[in-house]
Amino acid sequence: MSKVTIQNFYQYRHNEVIWSMSGAFANDQGNCSVHKNDIPHSCKKNPEILDLTPDALSENKSEDCCTGGALDAWAPRQPFDGHPPLNLILKAPGLGYTCGPLLNVDPAVSRDFWGRRQRQVFRTWKATCTYSSFLANDSPVCCVSLSSFYNPGIKSCPKCSRGCITFYTANMQVNLNSTNPSFLYFSPLYDNRQPSVKSDFGDGLDTVKCTDHMCPIRVHWHVKTNYLTHWRVKLTITKYNYMKNFSNWNVLGQHPDAAALYWGIPYFNEELITTTEDGVGSVSTEILLEKNSDSFTFKNGWGFPRRVYFNGEKCEMPLPDTFPALPNGNSKPKPSHFLFLLIFFVSQTLVFTRFPNGVPWVRYHGSYKDLQINLVWPGKDSSLGVDCVGTVSASLVTYASIQALQPDLIINAGTAGGFKAKGACIGDVYLACDVAYHDRRIPIPVFDLYGVGLRQACASPNLQKELNLKVGKLSTGNSLDMSPQDEASIIANDATIKDMEGAAVAYVADLLKVPIIFVKAVTDIVDGEKPTAEEFLKNLAAVTAALEEKVTQVIDFINGKCLSDL
């Protein structure tokens, strides 16, 4: 009798864990103390994985598991002669494994009599087997296409050359050959004149929909948006196989900065559904990535992965010199400055008188559909280098912009704190109906009303209904946190959201008789349990992305309409 042991020498690189496992178990859970709610199956970097026994519960089993580690022999028993096997072939996980020569090592030792007695085997040999996706598949099983916001071109998938069939032919031939599912023989309707056989890649017949690349799986990587501190990627996985469903799929992307593993969420996108005559099965997700100031650039295709794997299989990549390139050689596209305060000045005609010298204000401008749009950002403080926030900067830049641009409408877009007592949640986008101060306390008759400075935004019921925006009152103060006096004033203002600029912008707009709309996205819950500054910084990037999308919809709605139509 011979004993065969298979060892996997792969180790986790960062903070990866095993969340769950079927058909086997890790013998050591390791230190999972950093996980407070969902506890992983194992947090150990080099866990030993053991096969379940035959009496394991059915919900814990997987295909071909649960033999207590025993492997079936594929060769008749031979009398032991002290010589190693001539060839070692590893087929259990799948094709693509090549094993080196068997080498003599120290005989293994086992124990019996309850571990009190050692028994040494006659001989022990050891070999190392390596995996190659090239050997495992005679042609690629997936390909990668690329696109970006800064280049209108799309780099299509490299060709897999697996052949393809029409939907009608696939159905007809499966029925005809149902008694022999290992092979399919196609009629003259078959494209590319290449027979399709049972794929080694998973289960099911490799009957692929006809495309320009003819790959069963396509992974599309789209660089979608560039922010000040983050950038966003949209990842789409599309299946062109008529006969195969992929559940529990995963995609590994190797980027110049790091590697990341993505997988489906149960009951949401964990399954790539069957391709039909009318369409293909696909899932997509958006990924928000933090910038590394030392290495971030879009030059030379840096934003694209260098390798992509689907379910462990290497995908065909376009050549790096064909990646979508930056226009005019620029390596740093302008980011979307949706940080604290953005003011859009919308008009029918283009008018601009230069800002005063020395101010940090930043202006972007251009035409969009029938509108002339000027986007003004207060910029950064020249001494400290932080964003110019608060009422003073907001009122100054609003006044100067109205004088210089003569706009027909102002859109004040920015972030805000929200009050859960009024129904606000992280990521909610509000239209502010009324705006007031909460930190200008003047306890003198009439002056107290001046201190509150209540003003109304431009009425926009059709806009609110069309975009399904929440509506609430906005309260403004020059502090990120909230003192007890501020809280009392905010309650008196009946505010749902709180910011640091809105009332100042509203004052100037009202003074110069320019209508204004406030679009505010909630980054933190002011009356919640978490510290305001901590929650604000944690949610800033994701919330400003939602704000960007909503402001774009607002501008689309405004185009071609009068103020009375809003």
Side-chain angles (χ1 to χ4, degrees):
M1 181 180 73
S2 298
K3 180 180 179 180
V4 179
T5 302
I6 302 175
Q7 294 176 304
N8 182 1
F9 295 102
Y10 176 83
Q11 289 190 348
Y12 300 148
R13 292 186 177 183
H14 301 293
N15 296 317
E16 295 93 337
V17 298
I18 300 174
W19 284 106
S20 62
M21 181 177 291
S22 58
F25 66 96
N27 72 330
D28 189 346
Q29 186 182 35
N31 181 8
C32 295
S33 59
V34 297
H35 302 275
K36 304 301 182 185
N37 297 320
D38 297 331
I39 305 301
H41 177 78
S42 176
C43 301
K44 194 174 177 65
K45 283 194 173 184
N46 53 349
E48 182 179 351
I49 306 302
L50 304 177
D51 190 18
L52 291 175
T53 56
D55 58 352
L57 297 177
S58 58
E59 58 265 27
N60 295 333
K61 291 185 177 182
S62 62
E63 186 178 0
D64 298 326
C65 83
C66 312
T67 62
L71 302 178
D72 290 334
W74 290 345
R77 293 187 176 183
Q78 300 287 344
F80 178 74
D81 56 6
H83 298 290
L86 295 178
N87 294 299
L88 181 62
I89 300 174
L90 183 63
K91 290 187 176 181
L95 298 180
Y97 288 89
T98 302
C99 297
L102 285 155
L103 304 176
N104 272 303
V105 295
D106 293 337
V109 175
S110 61
R111 291 180 177 270
D112 58 9
F113 290 98
W114 306 277
R116 300 173 65 183
R117 177 174 179 266
Q118 289 187 349
R119 293 183 60 187
Q120 181 175 299
V121 300
F122 294 122
R123 296 284 175 86
T124 298
W125 300 280
K126 184 177 182 180
T128 301
C129 301
T130 57
Y131 175 77
S132 167
S133 59
F134 178 79
L135 296 176
N137 297 280
D138 55 354
S139 57
V141 299
C142 55
C143 65
V144 178
S145 55
L146 308 170
S147 62
S148 68
F149 71 91
Y150 53 77
N151 190 313
I154 298 178
K155 182 56 185 176
S156 58
C157 265
K159 196 171 183 180
C160 287
S161 301
R162 297 182 70 91
C164 63
I165 60 171
T166 63
F167 179 79
Y168 170 76
T169 308
N171 284 336
M172 179 181 67
Q173 296 305 321
V174 169
N175 292 332
L176 288 175
N177 295 282
S178 59
T179 58
N180 183 11
S182 297
F183 294 92
L184 286 180
Y185 304 93
F186 295 115
S187 69
L189 289 176
Y190 177 71
D191 293 330
N192 237 35
R193 298 171 299 280
Q194 178 180 341
S196 181
V197 300
K198 185 172 182 179
S199 173
D200 295 325
F201 179 49
D203 300 325
L205 299 169
D206 195 10
T207 52
V208 180
K209 186 181 180 71
C210 294
T211 60
D212 56 348
H213 53 77
M214 292 189 295
C215 288
I217 298 290
R218 185 189 73 175
V219 178
H220 185 72
W221 182 283
H222 175 66
V223 179
K224 186 175 180 180
T225 317
N226 180 32
Y227 306 112
L228 281 178
T229 58
H230 291 72
W231 55 298
R232 181 178 291 273
V233 169
K234 183 174 183 180
L235 186 70
T236 303
I237 302 101
T238 306
K239 181 181 75 68
Y240 297 91
N241 193 309
Y242 286 118
M243 307 299 295
K244 168 73 175 172
N245 282 351
F246 292 98
S247 59
N248 299 320
W249 58 269
N250 66 77
V251 170
L252 175 67
Q254 290 186 335
H255 187 267
D257 253 11
L261 182 67
Y262 309 99
W263 59 90
I265 300 173
Y267 309 109
F268 178 64
N269 61 359
E270 68 174 342
E271 183 173 5
L272 286 172
I273 60 174
T274 301
T275 295
T276 65
E277 183 178 11
D278 299 324
V280 294
S282 67
V283 297
S284 63
T285 186
E286 294 197 4
I287 308 155
L288 192 65
L289 303 167
E290 187 174 4
K291 290 182 179 178
N292 182 338
S293 58
D294 295 330
S295 60
F296 179 82
T297 178
F298 283 132
K299 190 176 181 181
N300 298 327
W302 183 91
F304 300 106
R306 295 303 181 261
R307 290 175 181 166
V308 173
Y309 298 83
F310 178 81
N311 281 2
E313 300 293 339
K314 185 178 179 181
C315 300
E316 285 291 291
M317 291 285 301
L319 295 175
D321 59 357
T322 66
F323 286 3
L326 285 167
N328 302 324
N330 291 327
S331 62
K332 293 184 178 179
K334 295 293 184 182
S336 301
H337 290 290
F338 282 97
L339 260 179
F340 302 97
L341 171 68
L342 288 178
I343 309 176
F344 293 82
F345 297 88
V346 183
S347 60
Q348 299 292 330
T349 58
L350 180 59
V351 179
F352 180 63
T353 303
R354 293 182 60 86
F355 288 144
N357 292 330
V359 298
W361 310 330
V362 180
R363 169 182 172 254
Y364 302 101
H365 61 92
S367 300
Y368 180 72
K369 297 184 178 179
D370 298 328
L371 301 174
Q372 295 292 332
I373 299 177
N374 288 270
L375 189 157
V376 179
W377 175 48
K380 292 184 176 292
D381 181 82
S382 58
S383 299
L384 301 176
V386 297
D387 294 299
C388 294
V389 299
T391 57
V392 174
S393 178
S395 58
L396 283 172
V397 74
T398 303
Y399 178 82
S401 297
I402 292 176
Q403 295 293 91
L405 302 171
Q406 301 177 27
D408 298 312
L409 176 68
I410 299 173
I411 303 173
N412 173 214
T415 58
F419 293 88
K420 66 178 181 180
K422 303 289 288 184
C425 300
I426 300 295
D428 284 348
V429 181
Y430 278 84
L431 277 179
C433 53
D434 296 329
V435 188
Y437 290 98
H438 60 254
D439 62 352
R440 298 203 309 182
R441 292 177 285 276
I442 311 175
I444 302 173
V446 184
F447 278 95
D448 56 350
L449 298 178
Y450 172 79
V452 172
L454 177 64
R455 284 173 174 80
Q456 291 185 334
C458 177
S460 50
N462 295 329
L463 172 64
Q464 183 270 329
K465 182 178 180 181
E466 177 69 21
L467 301 186
N468 193 29
L469 295 169
K470 290 187 173 183
V471 177
K473 296 181 179 180
L474 172 65
S475 192
T476 297
N478 275 301
S479 298
L480 184 64
D481 60 2
M482 179 177 64
S483 69
Q485 294 87 350
D486 290 343
E487 184 176 9
S489 298
I490 290 170
I491 294 173
N493 291 340
D494 192 29
T496 302
I497 47 179
K498 164 187 172 291
D499 79 344
M500 298 176 65
E501 295 89 13
V505 178
Y507 169 76
V508 178
D510 182 57
L511 186 69
L512 300 180
K513 305 305 178 187
V514 181
I516 185 169
I517 293 174
F518 294 91
V519 184
K520 298 290 180 176
V522 177
T523 53
D524 54 279
I525 301 301
V526 184
D527 54 346
E529 298 176 355
K530 297 181 179 179
T532 297
E534 176 184 323
E535 192 171 28
F536 169 78
L537 294 173
K538 176 183 178 182
N539 298 319
L540 179 61
V543 171
T544 51
L547 179 65
E548 175 190 12
E549 180 179 356
K550 199 60 71 173
V551 169
T552 302
Q553 295 174 6
V554 169
I555 293 175
D556 283 332
F557 180 84
I558 289 172
N559 182 63
K561 294 182 175 64
C562 300
L563 289 176
S564 58
D565 297 329
L566 302 184

